[in-house]
Amino acid sequence: MKKLLVFIILLISLCASGQEKPNSDSIDVRILNKGKHYIKEHTITLNGTKYQFSDIWPKKYSEYQKLPYLWPNNKTKTIIIDKKMFKYDEWLTTELWPIDHVGENKFVDGKLTIELRTKVKSGQLEIVQTITKE
C-alpha cells in the first residue's frame, strides 16, 4: 500500500512539473542612443512580432519594453533624422538581418540596454550595436 501511495505521489508531481507556464515576457529592454543623431524609430523583430522604440534623443534612454528573449544579433530597422543647419533634414534608414544564430547565447532574463552608435558616411547610415546586461 505504501509503495502504491509513493508511486501515485511521484506520478502526480511529475505531471504537475510539466504544467508550468513559460514566461513569455521575461526581459526588460531599453535603447541608449550613443550617437549624435536623433533616432526616430528602432524596431526589433522577433518571430514576426515587432517591438518598436521611438523618439530617442542623443545621449538619452528609451523606455523599457518587455520582450520574450533577445539574441546578440537581431533583425532590426533603424530610422534616424540627420539635422542640417542650412538644408532640409535628412531621414536615413538601415535594416540589419542576421544570417543565423549559431554559436550565440540567447538573453532570456534580466534587464538589458542596447547601445546604438549611429554614423552617416557618404550618405549611408551605419549602426554599431552593443548589448549590455544591467
Side-chain angles (χ1 to χ4, degrees):
M1 184 68 170
K2 286 183 180 182
K3 289 182 181 180
L4 181 61
L5 185 59
V6 170
F7 177 73
I8 291 173
I9 291 173
L10 182 64
L11 184 64
I12 290 172
S13 67
L14 286 175
C15 291
S17 68
Q19 298 296 324
E20 184 177 329
K21 198 175 186 182
N23 189 357
S24 61
D25 292 331
S26 59
I27 60 172
D28 291 318
V29 177
R30 69 179 175 176
I31 306 293
L32 170 59
N33 183 355
K34 284 199 126 175
K36 63 178 184 174
H37 302 99
Y38 173 75
I39 297 176
K40 180 63 181 162
E41 180 181 306
H42 181 76
T43 306
I44 300 171
T45 305
L46 301 171
N47 284 342
T49 305
K50 293 182 179 183
Y51 301 92
Q52 185 176 359
F53 300 87
S54 300
D55 302 320
I56 310 165
W57 289 96
K59 312 295 185 236
K60 300 290 182 187
Y61 291 94
S62 70
E63 296 293 323
Y64 280 104
Q65 283 193 35
K66 293 240 182 242
L67 274 68
Y69 61 87
L70 196 67
W71 292 102
N73 295 306
N74 301 284
K75 179 183 174 194
T76 61
K77 179 179 179 183
T78 307
I79 301 171
I80 68 155
I81 300 175
D82 188 12
K83 302 277 187 187
K84 301 290 184 183
M85 183 76 69
F86 298 109
K87 298 183 193 175
Y88 290 109
D89 293 343
E90 197 172 21
W91 289 54
L92 298 166
T93 303
T94 189
E95 290 189 53
L96 302 175
W97 290 66
I99 296 172
D100 58 25
H101 299 291
V102 174
E104 293 181 349
N105 291 325
K106 190 183 332 184
F107 297 103
V108 293
D109 62 350
K111 289 188 172 193
L112 303 174
T113 300
I114 301 173
E115 298 175 1
L116 294 178
R117 283 184 167 75
T118 57
K119 189 186 303 183
V120 177
K121 234 183 193 181
S122 303
Q124 298 293 316
L125 175 61
E126 294 179 7
I127 301 279
V128 176
Q129 124 178 333
T130 308
I131 298 176
T132 57
K133 200 164 189 172
E134 298 176 30

